Amino acid sequence: MEDVAKLAGVSISTVSHVVNETRAVAVNTRARVLAAIESTGYTGNAIARSLVTGGTKSIGVAMSLLANPHLAELIHAIEAEATAAGYTVLLGDTLDSPDGERDAVRKLQARRVDGMLLTPAPGDTETLDQLARTGVPAVLVDRVSHKVKLDQVGPENIQSTSALVSHLATAGHRRIAFISGVEWMVASEERTLGYRLGLGRAGLRWDSNLVAGGGATHEDGVLALRRLLTVPERPTAVITGNGAMTAGAVREATAHGLVIGKDLAIVGHDEVEWAELVRPSITTMAHPVDEIGRTAVRLLLERLNDREHAPRTVLLPPRLVHRESCGCDAAE
């Protein structure tokens, strides 16, 4: 900083204001400082700065690199929003397991991140409780939980699932099955509620035989649909809980010689890359992944500025992407 100040003919404090954007600096002076920074290759010392300011201007992101089908889009949105606010992003892989999550969170905290974005691993409430109890600024992303007092953002699940049922019922289906997700997830509970709500709105009777406990994987979708196809009066339409299980249901239906969209309608949550590439193309309820990521960063920045306000939960509505697998005219 001394070298930059001498080259630019300004004080060290002026260089600091330009680098950290802590005070307005005259345009010509700022230009001289930036030119001096360029010529010296000065990058600043983030660690030293953190010792003075008490913050690192960094955000930790703890997610599974394999279990999240929208990871690239989500990380891109998070990084874009964080960068615009002057923050860098550090990523930790949770392996989608409690042990992996605890390890990732510990490593990110050791890097002195100012706050954390976290997609909870299945069955891990201990880490979430600890973050809430110790007051670590944290936001749950995509998977929300009613059991912890943290800011969180994810897709709206009840009305969107009800809309899928209504869509199929309007097309004439009366035996609409549902492949639910992982039992512990709030999203699974909400989508099951939305399924029942949609049946009621359509004047259809709840039948427990038409509900198959799924999970999260391709194989879970295969096994769930296999069981549903053994029901005496089998379904004419199926709603799945995520993209992986949609793929499994499509595979199993094809293995049974069923024509998707004609013999069996299949629609599901999550917009996946292959949905419009296969034939028939798959009708989906597309989650607003980009906006979820950006909103998560905004919630975290609000929390960093005000540690005392009550935790907020933001649910963003998905969008129906109408294609061929529901068996109705997409132009209607």
Side-chain angles (χ1 to χ4, degrees):
M1 289 182 73
E2 288 180 2
D3 294 337
V4 170
K6 288 176 182 178
L7 283 172
V10 298
S11 67
I12 293 177
S13 63
T14 298
V15 176
S16 176
H17 289 311
V18 171
V19 171
N20 298 306
E21 298 183 349
T22 49
R23 195 185 70 187
V25 176
V27 175
N28 291 339
T29 303
R30 178 181 174 80
R32 293 204 311 275
V33 171
L34 292 176
I37 288 173
E38 181 70 22
S39 66
T40 60
Y42 171 73
T43 59
N45 188 322
I47 296 175
R49 187 182 303 119
S50 71
L51 294 175
V52 175
T53 64
T56 60
K57 298 291 284 186
S58 63
I59 292 173
V61 178
M63 296 178 178
S64 170
L65 304 188
L66 295 177
N68 191 330
H70 308 294
L71 181 72
E73 183 180 357
L74 189 59
I75 292 297
H76 176 75
I78 289 171
E79 190 157 33
E81 194 71 22
T83 299
Y87 284 78
T88 57
V89 174
L90 302 177
L91 180 61
D93 187 2
T94 66
L95 306 176
D96 214 29
S97 71
D99 289 341
E101 182 166 274
R102 284 191 290 272
D103 186 54
V105 168
R106 279 197 298 267
K107 288 178 178 177
L108 289 170
Q109 288 181 306
R111 297 292 297 272
R112 296 173 59 88
V113 294
D114 295 337
M116 197 170 303
L117 305 181
L118 177 73
T119 298
D124 184 20
T125 58
E126 181 181 336
T127 301
L128 305 186
D129 289 339
Q130 184 177 11
L131 290 172
R133 187 171 59 253
T134 57
V136 175
V139 178
L140 303 188
V141 184
D142 195 38
R143 295 175 181 171
V144 302
S145 172
H146 299 320
K147 298 179 180 180
V148 293
K149 295 181 179 179
L150 291 171
D151 296 303
Q152 46 195 332
V153 56
E156 190 285 322
N157 293 301
I158 298 174
Q159 298 302 330
S160 59
T161 307
S162 175
L164 285 175
V165 176
S166 298
H167 179 71
L168 293 169
T170 300
H173 293 282
R174 291 295 176 266
R175 298 285 290 172
I176 302 172
F178 179 59
I179 300 177
S180 62
V182 181
E183 289 185 2
W184 68 269
M185 287 178 59
V186 171
S188 299
E189 297 173 358
E190 291 179 340
R191 288 171 192 166
T192 301
L193 179 59
Y195 168 69
R196 299 192 70 155
L197 179 64
L199 291 177
R201 287 172 170 172
L204 300 178
R205 182 174 58 86
W206 161 268
D207 183 348
S208 59
N209 290 323
L210 292 180
V211 178
T217 69
H218 176 280
E219 189 62 24
D220 291 327
V222 168
L223 296 176
L225 185 60
R226 186 175 299 169
R227 188 187 74 73
L228 289 169
L229 292 179
T230 65
V231 175
E233 188 181 352
R234 72 184 190 187
T236 61
V238 176
I239 298 171
T240 65
N242 68 19
M245 290 195 295
T246 301
V250 169
R251 172 185 159 191
E252 185 65 12
T254 303
H256 277 75
L258 300 176
V259 178
I260 297 170
K262 182 179 179 182
D263 300 324
L264 180 69
I266 297 178
V267 301
H269 280 272
D270 287 348
E271 174 68 350
V272 288
E273 291 182 358
W274 52 266
E276 62 180 351
L277 301 179
V278 298
R279 289 293 174 269
S281 56
I282 307 299
T283 295
T284 64
M285 189 62 76
H287 296 168
V289 179
D290 183 85
E291 189 57 27
I292 287 173
R294 292 180 181 274
T295 301
V297 175
R298 295 177 197 138
L299 286 175
L300 183 58
L301 296 180
E302 289 177 12
R303 175 61 58 188
L304 290 172
N305 290 326
D306 182 2
R307 306 291 181 97
E308 301 302 322
H309 71 75
R312 293 177 57 196
T313 295
V314 178
L315 300 178
L316 300 171
R319 173 178 58 91
L320 179 66
V321 182
H322 195 173
R323 297 192 180 99
E324 300 166 332
S325 65
C326 51
C328 52
D329 185 0
E332 292 180 0

